[in-house]
Amino acid sequence: MLNQLHKIINRYFEDLPQWINTLITDPRQKEKIVYKLDIIMFTGILMYLLQLKARRQIKFKLKRPDQLIDFILETDELKNNNLKDITAKYKNNILLQNITNIFGITDLTNLPDGDTINNCYKRIDVSEVEKVIRKIINKLIRS
């Protein structure tokens, strides 16, 4: 699934991080920002795609690469793939490198936790997120 996501983003949405950072006003205090807005948004997207049922699972599933690979192996879609061969790579924190490759983020050293994502999402203007969604739809229609 992450491989397909990487292909889709590279083909259609290589400018997505830029769209997020320019079209959505960051409501947080500038001096207290640890994670850029695109990182928070992409972590939320991963949470949705991996079907995490609670924000606190980010701490256990996405921040701990050894547990994430076990979680991915449990999903029906990936059971047939030979992912056990790459478990060691994920346990060496290659996960963050893969996420940076998928989303085109260069300065990622850690993922935000669920509370950080929630606090940011609560304060973001929905109409600005809709602008990004419209750009995504327009890009798909014109491709």
Side-chain angles (χ1 to χ4, degrees), residues 54-70:
R55 287 186 321 267
R56 65 184 296 268
Q57 285 185 312
I58 292 170
K59 182 178 185 180
F60 302 107
K61 302 292 184 184
L62 294 182
K63 283 192 164 193
R64 299 263 324 269
D66 55 328
Q67 290 185 358
L68 176 65
I69 191 65
D70 294 336

Side-chain angles (χ1 to χ4, degrees), residues 37-82:
L37 194 56
D38 58 347
I39 294 171
I40 290 176
M41 298 295 282
F42 288 138
T43 305
I45 291 168
L46 275 178
M47 185 179 149
Y48 173 77
L49 291 175
L50 294 174
Q51 299 176 356
L52 301 181
K53 297 188 181 8
R55 287 186 321 267
R56 65 184 296 268
Q57 285 185 312
I58 292 170
K59 182 178 185 180
F60 302 107
K61 302 292 184 184
L62 294 182
K63 283 192 164 193
R64 299 263 324 269
D66 55 328
Q67 290 185 358
L68 176 65
I69 191 65
D70 294 336
F71 176 73
I72 290 173
L73 287 171
E74 290 171 7
T75 62
D76 289 335
E77 179 184 337
L78 298 172
K79 275 184 182 175
N80 297 330
N81 293 340
N82 196 8

Side-chain angles (χ1 to χ4, degrees), residues 89-134:
K89 285 173 46 177
Y90 282 97
K91 287 186 178 180
N92 290 327
N93 217 7
I94 300 297
L95 172 66
L96 284 176
Q97 291 176 3
N98 288 335
I99 290 173
T100 59
N101 290 338
I102 290 170
F103 295 119
I105 301 168
T106 57
D107 55 354
L108 184 64
T109 57
N110 199 0
L111 293 173
D113 63 17
D115 290 336
T116 301
I117 293 170
N118 187 50
N119 291 336
C120 186
Y121 279 4
K122 285 191 304 189
R123 297 169 60 199
I124 289 176
D125 184 1
V126 175
S127 65
E128 293 178 348
V129 176
E130 289 172 348
K131 290 177 188 176
V132 174
I133 294 171
R134 279 194 293 274

